[in-house]
């Protein structure tokens, strides 16, 4: 089962060298184990843009975004057996932030990828595949 861990923070912050090294060690371990598919940190909001639809109108707004309450700082994609494994990796990852970036506050959200045919989940593309 594929999971994405999404790191959210109040503000963009570059990791300390110690945190970057610790994250690299986890990533290297998980890649070698065949569990990590991809990972990356994201640049500040000022480098991005938002494409939105509101009231039937499409708009593009360049960053930074004044109303941003949380910033997606990065992500990781894993191939794991259970949600519990994904949560354990997220806890390990967040502990590194606690250890190497005192005062940093954030969240790591763990979400499973949609898989066609998953029990109890509506498949919006089912008719298109027929």
């Amino acid at each position: 089962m594929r999971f994405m861990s999404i790191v959210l923070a109040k503000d963009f912050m570059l990791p300390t060298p110690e945190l970057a090294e610790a994250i690299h060690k986890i990533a290297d371990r998980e890649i070698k184990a065949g569990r990590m598919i991809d990972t990356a940190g994201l640049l500040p909001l000022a480098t991005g843009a938002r494409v939105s639809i509101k009231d039937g109108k499409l708009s593009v707004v360049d960053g930074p975004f004044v109303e941003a309450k949380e910033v997606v700082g990065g992500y990781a994609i894993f191939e794991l057996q259970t949600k519990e494994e994904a949560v354990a990796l997220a806890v390990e990852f967040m502990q590194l932030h606690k250890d190497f970036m005192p005062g940093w506050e954030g969240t790591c959200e763990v979400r499973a990828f949609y898989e066609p045919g998953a029990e109890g989940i509506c498949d919006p593309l089912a008719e298109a595949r027929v």
Side-chain angles (χ1 to χ4, degrees), residues 33-111:
R35 295 163 30 117
M36 181 178 278
I37 296 167
D38 191 23
T39 187
L42 301 174
L43 292 173
L45 293 176
T47 66
R50 285 188 178 159
V51 180
S52 303
I53 299 173
K54 185 174 181 180
D55 297 325
K57 294 181 183 177
L58 193 86
S59 65
V60 178
V61 176
D62 286 327
F65 314 113
V66 187
E67 71 280 359
K69 293 180 182 171
E70 288 184 311
V71 176
V72 178
Y75 70 93
I77 300 172
F78 296 94
E79 187 68 45
L80 304 167
Q81 296 298 312
T82 66
K83 175 184 169 186
E84 289 73 24
E85 285 181 86
V87 171
L89 283 167
V91 168
E92 181 181 10
F93 181 78
M94 293 300 278
Q95 183 65 49
L96 295 177
H97 284 73
K98 184 178 175 194
D99 294 345
F100 296 112
M101 282 186 70
W104 181 85
E105 293 184 7
T107 303
C108 184
E109 183 177 321
V110 175
R111 307 257 310 267

Side-chain angles (χ1 to χ4, degrees), residues 3 27 32 44 79:
F3 290 89
K32 285 179 179 171
E79 187 68 45

Side-chain angles (χ1 to χ4, degrees), residues 3 21 23 27 30 83 90 100 103 113 115 119 123 127 129:
F3 290 89
E21 183 180 335
I23 290 171
E30 294 302 315
K83 175 184 169 186
F100 296 112
F113 274 62
E115 294 180 4
E119 190 172 318
D123 185 350
E127 289 183 30
R129 285 200 264 333

